[in-house]
Amino acid sequence: VQLVESGGGSGQAGGSLTLSCTASGYRYASYCMGWFRQSPGKEREGVALIDSDGEATYADSVKGRFTITQDSAKNTLTLKMNSLKPDDTAMYYCIVDVKWGEHCSHAANMYNYWGQGTQVTVS
């Protein structure tokens, strides 16, 4: 499984950034894909996840500001981040794995496949 993120960079508070992830090499009929983030000294946080049925879930910290979408035909995942805050500064990681349970878990240890990460800095 290979995950390649793009779109990170610097943004202004109140502004927007969009992250993209292209996935290859997985063949799960039922899966979760999504974004985690981690900043120094903090645990990885499940920011936004979407399953093979299109159900999306978000961390409370980003609800109403971030939107996750997927293009299944292109195996592409997108995270649109609006109303950015300095607290959004982190390394963002794309993940994919089999879906366990009714909803996608926001626990990092549930996912085995991670991208290399892309840095987002908000000032």
Side-chain angles (χ1 to χ4, degrees):
V1 177
Q2 186 175 20
L3 300 164
V4 180
E5 301 109 331
S6 61
S10 298
Q12 296 290 323
S16 299
L17 284 173
T18 299
L19 305 182
S20 295
C21 173
T22 301
S24 61
Y26 71 97
R27 294 291 184 267
Y28 307 133
S30 181
Y31 60 82
C32 291
M33 289 187 73
W35 298 90
F36 279 72
R37 68 184 181 186
Q38 188 170 26
S39 52
K42 295 186 178 180
E43 295 186 356
R44 287 192 178 186
E45 175 187 27
V47 174
L49 294 145
I50 189 166
D51 69 12
S52 40
D53 294 324
E55 179 187 13
T57 57
Y58 299 90
D60 288 342
S61 57
V62 306
K63 278 182 183 176
R65 301 189 298 121
F66 289 11
T67 303
I68 187 171
T69 56
Q70 65 178 337
D71 183 337
S72 299
K74 297 180 180 180
N75 290 337
T76 300
L77 191 70
T78 299
L79 184 68
K80 175 68 172 177
M81 306 185 291
N82 295 325
S83 302
L84 287 167
K85 302 176 180 180
D87 283 349
D88 295 322
T89 296
M91 185 72 79
Y92 283 71
Y93 298 90
C94 178
I95 62 92
V96 67
D97 214 322
V98 174
K99 179 183 176 184
W100 299 104
E102 185 175 359
H103 306 289
C104 292
S105 172
H106 282 248
N109 62 3
M110 294 297 291
Y111 301 100
N112 292 302
Y113 302 108
W114 294 74
Q116 79 285 357
T118 186
Q119 179 68 37
V120 170
T121 302
V122 182
S123 59

